Structure formats: structure tokens, C-alpha cells
Amino acid sequence: MSKAVSVFLAVLFCLVLRSSYCKGSKILVLPHDWSHWINMKVILEELHSRGHEITVLYSTKSWFIPNNSSIYTSIHIPSLLNDLDPDFYVTMMQDVTGLLVSLASEVLQDKVLIKKLRDTKFDLMLTDPAFPMGVILGGYLKLPMVFNVRWINNGESHQSIAPSPVSYAPVSGSELHDQMDFLERTKNMLHYLYNLYELYVVIKPTYTDLFHKYFPPGTDLVSLELSADIWLFRADFIFEFPRPTMPNMVYIGGFQCKEAQPLPDELEAFMQSSGEHGVVVMSLGTVVSALPHGITEDIAAAFAELPQKVIWRFDGEKPSTLGKNTKLVKWLPQNDLLGHPKTKVFIAHGGTNGMYEAIYHGVPVLGLPLLFDQFDNLLRMKVRGAARVVEVRSLTKDNFLEALKDILENPSYRENSQRLSKLHRDRPMSSMDTSIFWIEYVIRNKGASHLQSAGFSLPWYSYFCMDVAVFVLAITGTSIWGFIFVCRLLYCKKSSKTIKPE
């Protein structure tokens, strides 16, 4: 009995030691705004619950990041939003890179802020590198860095860190899948070359003066990004196409998803009133609040012909064609609605968060892509038989209604969605636990440089062995030339001997 107790106490001691090993660590966080904040916030809540001290750098003009929070300390810094209006994500100002450089310079010049950050002695920088301010500040402070990442600079982060053969790894923005014919591979290659041009000709040189002033020689934006210890990539291969990866690329797709919670009484009553037909849920995310008036009229008219009930996140003028079966709301508990057994279809713009919530709960999608990665995201769902896509610019009442009825009446969409959900949930540990493990791993080990590839430090000609190819060709050419020279020399000697007797 005493032996069993001893073993139990030993195991308990190890568990307590392991759980408390990183508690009290100081984590500096520079998040990205908009829907990216949703992804960062859930990680910060979990880190706070484990006893970590969190400091968030934020702007008072942030749209989603609160100024005060019970889970972190706030420090104000200037923001890109100081110079941009709320339509930034739609208009995308051309000089955004220049503004980002100015922002970084302003922060690094603030000696009081930098001293405060240095004196705090942070253990880690956690940042979303969609905008590189966090990368630059983390590198300047020489902190171990963990990225909570999907996008970086000019495209998807996966392409930045891992080998991405264009023959089967589609470039972001190409709207291609991994089964490409010759013309599609050509299109993919052109997208790849354009991304390289944008990164090395347009973006990287803009930061040259900044790095010359504040960083050791040889440091640039790309090398600083590649020096991050762990990349927590907000995707996984249930959603992404299979491709090469790297040891410090950790897949956490859907980490923000959770089991559905009970709905408010009024909303639950609406869901139950749908009977056997069920409910269609529509939301276009946080960036675009409403579609053009004519499009919303067509969508509302199509909804009015359905036997299903519809709950539509909508902010704008009420469509005149709205049917009695449709409920308009300015906000909805999206995750809880998608997890409700009455939900039959999710109509969405194709944002990553919404797609993973649909996968998590096994709900088929009717996609209305509007911006950025949404087209590629919905293509991935469509290829897997879990979605249909209607282009907004060509949307009519008839083609929208046809696509919606197809998903509602064809059981293959729901079957495929539920299969994706089963695969997504079948893992040794949750995506959130995986995220926290690797963040604490970097803190415990003061970095993870042993997981970084040596290929990052190679010049392009060495990476592709162009120098080796030139050397081999030179040796081969020299050998062939020498052989021919000797043969000609021997032939000439033989010819001269033959001529002399004659």
C-alpha cells in the first residue's frame, strides 16, 4: 500500500512540477486587429489561466482590441489605424508598406517605451506577423518569438518557411488546387514569381534604412521573420492541401472552435420553430457588414421561397423582399448556431475562422467570397465536396436559390462536411493544447533554434545548388575539352609522322 502511495505522490509531483514550470512567465504580445484578434484573444485567455503575465501592445484606435482587460496589461503604441479610415480593409491603400515602416521607426525611436520593455525582461514575444511590427520589435529586443500566423507580408506564411513546389502546392491567390494541369501549373508559377517580385523588389527594400539603423549588418525583414522559433499555423491538412512542412511549423487549425453552448431563449425558440426543415445561418464576418442593395434584395427573395427558417447577420436597410421565415440580427453567436442540430447550411464569405467552425461542427457551406483568401478557402471546401460557391458579382435570385437548394437537398454535402469534422477532431491533443504546449516549450528552452532549418541562411544560388551545378558543368566541360585537345594533339602527331616518309 505504501508503495502505491509513493508512486501516486511521485506522479502527482511530476504533474505539478510540469504544470507550474512555466507559470509566471512574462509574455509580450503584439496582435493584429480585426478577426485576427479573435484568434489571439483565445490563446491569451488560456495563457492567463495558466498563470502567465501578459502585456499587450495596442492602439487606442483599435477596433476590436479592448483598452482594458482583466487578463493582460496594456501598453499604448502608435498604430497604422491612426492614418487609415475604417474602410482600410476594403480600399487597401497603396502606401501601406510605407506606413508600416513609419510605424516601426516611431516605436523604435521611443526610448522610454523601449527601456520599459527591456527592463521588464520578457521571456517571449507572441505576435501575428500579418503586419511585421511585432516581428521587428521582437527581433530588436532579442526575444524568442512565436508566431500566431496565417498570413505574412504578401501571402500565406507556409510558403515563406516551407518548400512549396509550384507543381502541386497552389500559391495563395491563384484559386488552384493540388491537381493541376499544364496551364494551371503555368498560372501557379506566374503567381509564385509575382509574389517573389512583390516581396524582394517592393516590400523588402522599403525596410532597408530601418534595418541599417537599428539592426546588425545583414539583417533584413525576411531573415528576421525566418528566425522565429515556432510558427503556430492557423490551418491543418483537413483543410489545406498536403505539402512539405518544417519542424517548427505547428498546425493549429480550428483552435478557436469549441462545443456549442445553449442559445438565448428567444433564439432557441426560433430554431425550434423550424420543425423538420431546419435553419439556414448567414454571416459575412466582421469586415463587410452588408452587400450591395440589389444583391441583398435577391438573397432575401430567395430565402423567402425556402421552407427552412433563416437567421441572417445583417446591418443595413431592410430588404423589401424579406420573407416571414427570415430573422435579421446585427450579431449572432456563430459557433453556437453552427453547433445546433437544427442548422442545415452556413452561408459565409469564406473567412478562415468561419470555415473551421463549419468543419468543426460538420455544416456544409454556401460561399460568397468577397476579399483576399476567401476565394482560396472556399475552393478547398468545394474540392472536398463540402461547399458550393456563388460569385457575388454574378449572383442572381435564381442561381443563389439553385445552389442553396442543392446543398439542402443533396445529402452528400452534409456527409462530406461531417466526415471532415470527424477527421478534424481525431487527433492526440486539441489544437489549443498544442498551441500552449509549444509556446511554453519555447519559454522553457529559451527558444527553439534547433528546429530551424539551415537552409534559411543560404543564398538562393546555394539553396538551389546552382553553384554546385556550375562547378560540375565547369569540371565536365573542362574534362571534355581536355579529352578533345589530347585526341587532336595525338591525331596531329600521327598525321605528321605519316606525311614525313612520303
Side-chain angles (χ1 to χ4, degrees):
M1 188 69 178
S2 58
K3 184 177 181 181
V5 171
S6 299
V7 171
F8 172 78
L9 291 176
V11 171
L12 181 62
F13 174 78
C14 290
L15 290 173
V16 171
L17 179 64
R18 181 176 179 180
S19 64
S20 62
Y21 189 68
C22 282
K23 283 188 177 180
S25 298
K26 297 178 180 179
I27 301 175
L28 181 62
V29 182
L30 206 162
H32 189 34
D33 213 331
W34 300 294
S35 60
H36 293 241
W37 170 244
I38 297 173
N39 296 313
M40 187 66 81
K41 181 183 176 183
V42 294
I43 289 182
L44 299 188
E45 290 172 342
E46 183 66 22
L47 288 170
H48 173 74
S49 72
R50 296 172 69 91
H52 297 287
E53 299 177 27
I54 302 168
T55 300
V56 173
L57 301 174
Y58 79 102
S59 166
T60 56
K61 294 190 177 182
S62 293
W63 301 334
F64 288 87
I65 304 173
N67 296 340
N68 298 303
S69 173
S70 60
I71 67 171
Y72 58 78
T73 302
S74 302
I75 297 179
H76 168 70
I77 61 170
S79 169
L80 181 69
L81 298 177
N82 294 345
D83 301 301
L84 299 178
D85 58 65
D87 292 327
F88 164 69
Y89 242 146
V90 180
T91 59
M92 283 301 281
M93 294 178 64
Q94 294 180 348
D95 195 30
V96 63
T97 303
L99 290 172
L100 289 170
V101 174
S102 299
L103 168 63
S105 298
E106 190 173 349
V107 171
L108 296 183
Q109 288 171 5
D110 190 336
K111 294 182 180 179
V112 175
L113 172 63
I114 295 300
K115 184 178 187 304
K116 181 177 181 179
L117 296 178
R118 289 192 188 280
D119 291 345
T120 305
K121 299 186 184 301
F122 288 102
D123 299 292
L124 181 79
M125 165 63 86
L126 174 63
T127 186
D128 183 334
F131 285 168
M133 182 62 247
V135 181
I136 294 171
L137 183 59
Y140 185 72
L141 296 174
K142 298 181 180 178
L143 295 174
M145 280 193 286
V146 172
F147 288 168
N148 175 9
V149 61
R150 178 83 194 278
W151 302 102
I152 191 166
N153 292 332
N154 63 325
E156 193 180 49
S157 61
H158 204 289
Q159 184 177 306
S160 301
I161 186 176
S164 301
V166 294
S167 56
Y168 64 90
V171 176
S172 59
S174 66
E175 296 183 52
L176 296 169
H177 50 76
D178 57 348
Q179 303 289 331
M180 292 180 271
D181 58 26
F182 174 77
L183 291 179
E184 289 171 332
R185 292 199 308 274
T186 301
K187 177 184 177 182
N188 202 41
M189 174 62 77
L190 292 176
H191 274 271
Y192 174 74
L193 293 175
Y194 177 78
N195 279 3
L196 291 180
Y197 164 80
E198 192 175 36
L199 176 59
Y200 288 99
V201 178
V202 178
I203 298 175
K204 180 181 171 183
T206 310
Y207 290 87
T208 299
D209 292 341
L210 177 75
F211 280 97
H212 281 171
K213 183 175 181 180
Y214 294 102
F215 289 85
T219 308
D220 58 30
L221 181 61
V222 176
S223 65
L224 199 60
E225 289 168 341
L226 294 176
S227 69
D229 295 277
I230 294 293
W231 298 51
L232 299 176
F233 186 59
R234 297 192 298 266
D236 64 29
F237 290 119
I238 305 304
F239 181 72
E240 292 294 332
F241 299 118
R243 51 186 170 177
T245 186
M246 299 297 283
N248 59 338
M249 176 70 84
V250 179
Y251 299 89
I252 61 168
F255 71 99
Q256 81 282 5
C257 300
K258 54 188 177 182
E259 295 296 334
Q261 299 299 309
L263 298 172
D265 293 341
E266 181 185 355
L267 200 52
E268 179 64 30
F270 178 83
M271 300 295 286
Q272 295 299 333
S273 69
S274 64
E276 63 180 9
H277 298 293
V279 177
V280 173
V281 176
M282 178 170 176
S283 174
L284 298 180
T286 57
V287 175
V288 179
S289 58
L291 295 168
H293 180 70
I295 299 296
T296 59
E297 290 286 336
D298 286 338
I299 291 175
F303 285 157
E305 296 190 13
L306 293 175
Q308 285 79 18
K309 292 292 184 75
V310 179
I311 181 167
W312 184 359
R313 181 181 179 184
F314 185 87
D315 186 9
E317 182 182 350
K318 182 178 178 180
S320 61
T321 55
L322 195 70
K324 294 182 179 180
N325 65 333
T326 303
K327 182 181 181 66
L328 300 182
V329 295
K330 290 188 176 181
W331 179 86
L332 51 77
Q334 183 170 290
N335 182 78
D336 300 334
L337 283 170
L338 293 179
H340 197 283
K342 291 288 186 180
T343 298
K344 302 300 181 183
V345 178
F346 179 35
I347 302 174
H349 61 307
T352 305
N353 289 346
M355 292 302 94
Y356 272 100
E357 287 179 352
I359 290 173
Y360 185 83
H361 295 293
V363 178
V365 174
L366 175 55
L368 304 177
L370 301 170
L371 300 166
F372 311 133
D373 63 317
Q374 297 163 13
F375 296 88
D376 285 318
N377 290 342
L378 288 167
L379 174 70
R380 283 157 170 74
M381 296 290 283
K382 180 181 176 181
V383 168
R384 289 167 172 81
R388 276 197 61 171
V389 179
V390 176
E391 296 282 353
V392 172
R393 61 190 174 188
S394 59
L395 185 148
T396 65
K397 172 192 169 184
D398 291 336
N399 64 16
F400 180 78
L401 184 59
E402 183 276 327
L404 184 51
K405 284 185 174 180
D406 181 34
I407 297 177
L408 287 167
E409 297 170 2
N410 187 340
S412 66
Y413 290 101
R414 176 163 289 274
E415 290 168 359
N416 289 328
S417 298
Q418 292 178 344
R419 178 177 178 273
L420 290 179
S421 177
K422 181 180 178 181
L423 291 171
H424 178 65
R425 291 166 177 257
D426 190 2
R427 57 179 65 204
M429 60 191 298
S430 72
S431 296
M432 177 57 75
D433 288 342
T434 301
S435 304
I436 301 303
F437 169 81
W438 284 106
I439 291 172
E440 293 183 339
Y441 179 91
V442 173
I443 294 173
R444 286 196 300 270
N445 297 287
K446 303 185 185 303
S449 59
H450 60 288
L451 299 178
Q452 296 171 356
S453 170
F456 295 154
S457 61
L458 296 175
W460 67 270
Y461 53 84
S462 296
Y463 183 88
F464 291 104
C465 289
M466 298 299 292
D467 48 355
V468 175
V470 170
F471 176 75
V472 172
L473 289 174
I475 295 296
T476 302
T478 301
S479 300
I480 294 174
W481 179 85
F483 178 75
I484 294 174
F485 177 78
V486 170
C487 289
R488 290 184 64 184
L489 184 63
L490 293 174
Y491 177 78
C492 291
K493 285 184 177 181
K494 183 177 180 181
S495 298
S496 61
K497 289 180 180 179
T498 305
I499 293 172
K500 282 182 181 180
E502 294 178 354

